[in-house]
Amino acid sequence: MGQSKFSTHPTSDKVYYIISGFILTFILIAVSYPLIYVLSASFSSGNAVSSGRVLLWPVDFSLEGYEAVFKNKDIVRAYGNTFLYTILGTLVNVTVVMTCAYALSRPGLKGRGSFMFLFTFTMFFSGGLIPFYILMKDLHLINTMWAMVLPGALSVYNMIIARTFIQSSIPGELIEATSIDGCSDARFFFSFVLPLSKAVIAVITLFSAVGHWNAYFNALMYLNDRSLYPLQIILREILIMNQVDVSMIMDPELQVAKAQAAAVLKYSLIVVATVPILCVYPFIQKYFVKGVMIGSLKG
Amino acid sequence: MPSWQLYLFLIPATVYIIIFAYVPMAGVQIAFKNYNFNLGIWGSEWIGWDNFRRFFDSYQFTTLIWNTISLSVYSLLISFPLPILFALMLNSFTGQKFKKIVQSVSYMPHFISTVVIVGMLVQLFNPRTGAFGALYTFFSGELLADAFANPGAFQHLYVWSGIWQGIGWSSIIYIAALSSVDEHLHEAAQIDGASRLQRVRHIDFPSILPTATIMLILAVGNIMEVGFEKVFLMQNELNISKSEVISTYVYKVGLTIGSGDFSFATAIGLFNSLINFVLLIMVNYAAKKFSDTSLW
């Protein structure tokens, strides 16, 4: 796609390519600028950030923001909680989704249509906020870590993606051949379906992990014990409600320094809270485009 | 013949869905009751439509409906067509490497949490220390007005930050559909002298129309469902006149301290999902009639 090819295009197409190239470049900049800015600000000094001197690259490179983040006990504990909820929750999600998808992928299963209806109906209608809250209360899940792990254990959408994937990528002849050899359904699941479904498992793992990592709503609703708080609740306090404790210091000069540190802390916190999940995604990117395609085209 | 083992595999999902989806559905009846904590869902006394009437007569009713619908419609009008245009443009561009970069970067914001997105908005639009505040001052010499204190800015911030976060991700489904377009169609059209733009219009665009129809049905069927999380996080006393929507109101009426009116809140929520459901059925019917594409 070099220059030589470009010159062979008719003029009207050249205009098209120039305009669309310009628009795509604009989108690229518009999407990446805030990300780059946040990253740069997180590595700048408090003074540079609060005086608005950071525009693109770090100014007065410093790690004070990150130091402040990791010195804050609330943040560190919430970080640990989030890791725990993410790992447990993702494990539960993938297990429930894959077992269900496998069973429903088998054409001979009696009552398959009824089960599908039972599941898909919940995509369009739900009891709503308050009945769900009452349920959580009756199950005594309020103020336990299970309030972060159990709700949403089955994503019907993911289940449909997985089911479609299994149906289209694992040939029926394989099931027949192995069952003649005496392979049970459960063994078939563990020795054939799971290894052959790596791509879709990767996609579901990513979707669930992102969901759990970013979960805010469940914590807001069902947790009021501070020691159970996930990262997102602490993030809200600091980033949006602006609750960084600077008032404790009486010395005005120190107070200014603290306020500046608080400004950088916010950017460092954004980076620390976002980077783990962004790190996972390039590895699974090749899978998820495929996964979304399968789910969308044939689902 | 499938064995009992397959049913064993269905147990976790079925138990989960019955407890966590169908039990709350049965709980919806408290919308017609005067819920009493000690009597429980089934024991509380029936009061018919009183909770609904109370909502229709309340002074917030019109504002809430208007805020909810205007925010959704605005959001839909912007966030439905832009990913389609983005996908068409990206697909028709020639530089493979550049395409890959744009695509990968555009997905990224999808993975950032709502709390961080709103936090970034607050930081970046800070008139003094934020990037946009600083850029604004740099070019105009004036101080940027505080966006979060201005009710008129709420919807724009909400919708356009949504575009920033979602344009790449929402386009995946269209890019996937475009990748299955037969290359021969393009070659034939090229021989007939069709320009790139003409090929986008007459080959690429029609080929993603069925996908787009489905997405539109789903979007319209969700029109009353403005995301609770983001609205709630962006809300403050200064912009509440524009930012209070049905879902945030339900939360406040039902679950914030001092209120706890479970039945009233459920009635409002039920009213909301009912409108949604009716819309979904209507749009699906219309789509089936006019374009043969529908959900069921």
Coordinates of all heavy atoms in Angstrom, one line a residue, chain A residues 1 17, chain B residues 90 92-101:
Chain A
M1 N 0.8 -1.2 0.0 CA 0.0 0.0 0.0 C 0.9 1.2 0.0 O 0.7 2.2 0.8 CB -0.9 0.0 1.3 CG -1.9 -1.2 1.3 SD -3.1 -1.1 0.1 CE -3.7 -2.8 0.1
Y17 N -9.6 9.5 0.1 CA -8.6 9.0 1.0 C -8.0 10.1 1.9 O -7.7 9.9 3.1 CB -7.5 8.2 0.3 CG -7.9 6.9 -0.2 CD1 -7.9 6.5 -1.5 CD2 -8.4 6.0 0.7 CE1 -8.3 5.3 -2.0 CE2 -8.9 4.7 0.3 CZ -8.8 4.4 -1.1 OH -9.3 3.2 -1.5
Chain B
L90 N -13.0 3.4 8.3 CA -11.8 2.6 8.6 C -11.7 1.5 7.6 O -10.6 1.2 7.2 CB -12.0 2.1 10.0 CG -10.7 1.6 10.7 CD1 -9.8 2.8 10.9 CD2 -11.1 1.0 12.1
S92 N -12.7 1.2 4.6 CA -12.3 1.6 3.2 C -11.0 2.2 3.1 O -10.5 2.5 2.0 CB -13.4 2.6 2.7 OG -13.3 3.8 3.4
F93 N -10.3 2.5 4.2 CA -9.0 3.1 4.2 C -7.9 2.1 3.7 O -8.1 0.9 3.9 CB -8.6 3.7 5.5 CG -7.6 4.8 5.4 CD1 -7.9 6.0 4.9 CD2 -6.3 4.6 5.9 CE1 -7.0 7.0 4.8 CE2 -5.4 5.6 5.8 CZ -5.7 6.8 5.2
T94 N -6.9 2.6 3.1 CA -5.9 1.6 2.5 C -4.7 1.3 3.4 O -4.3 0.2 3.4 CB -5.4 2.1 1.2 OG1 -4.9 3.4 1.3 CG2 -6.4 2.0 0.1
G95 N -4.2 2.2 4.2 CA -3.0 2.0 4.9 C -3.3 1.0 6.1 O -3.9 1.3 7.1
Q96 N -2.8 -0.3 5.9 CA -3.1 -1.3 6.8 C -2.6 -1.1 8.2 O -3.3 -1.3 9.2 CB -2.6 -2.7 6.3 CG -3.3 -3.3 5.1 CD -4.8 -3.4 5.4 OE1 -5.2 -3.8 6.4 NE2 -5.6 -3.0 4.4
K97 N -1.4 -0.6 8.3 CA -0.7 -0.3 9.6 C -1.5 0.8 10.3 O -1.8 0.6 11.5 CB 0.7 0.1 9.4 CG 1.7 -0.5 10.4 CD 3.1 -0.2 10.0 CE 4.1 -1.0 10.9 NZ 5.4 -0.8 10.4
F98 N -1.7 1.9 9.7 CA -2.4 3.0 10.3 C -3.8 2.5 10.8 O -4.2 2.9 11.9 CB -2.6 4.1 9.2 CG -3.3 5.3 9.7 CD1 -2.8 6.1 10.7 CD2 -4.6 5.6 9.2 CE1 -3.4 7.2 11.1 CE2 -5.3 6.7 9.6 CZ -4.7 7.5 10.6
K99 N -4.5 1.7 9.9 CA -5.8 1.2 10.3 C -5.7 0.4 11.6 O -6.6 0.6 12.5 CB -6.2 0.2 9.2 CG -7.5 0.6 8.5 CD -7.6 -0.1 7.1 CE -8.5 -1.3 7.2 NZ -8.7 -1.7 5.8
K100 N -4.7 -0.4 11.7 CA -4.6 -1.3 12.9 C -4.4 -0.4 14.2 O -5.0 -0.7 15.2 CB -3.3 -2.2 12.8 CG -3.7 -3.6 12.3 CD -3.5 -4.6 13.4 CE -4.6 -5.5 13.5 NZ -5.0 -6.3 12.4
I101 N -3.5 0.6 14.0 CA -3.3 1.5 15.1 C -4.5 2.2 15.6 O -4.9 2.2 16.7 CB -2.2 2.6 14.8 CG1 -0.8 1.8 14.6 CG2 -2.0 3.6 15.9 CD1 0.3 2.7 14.0

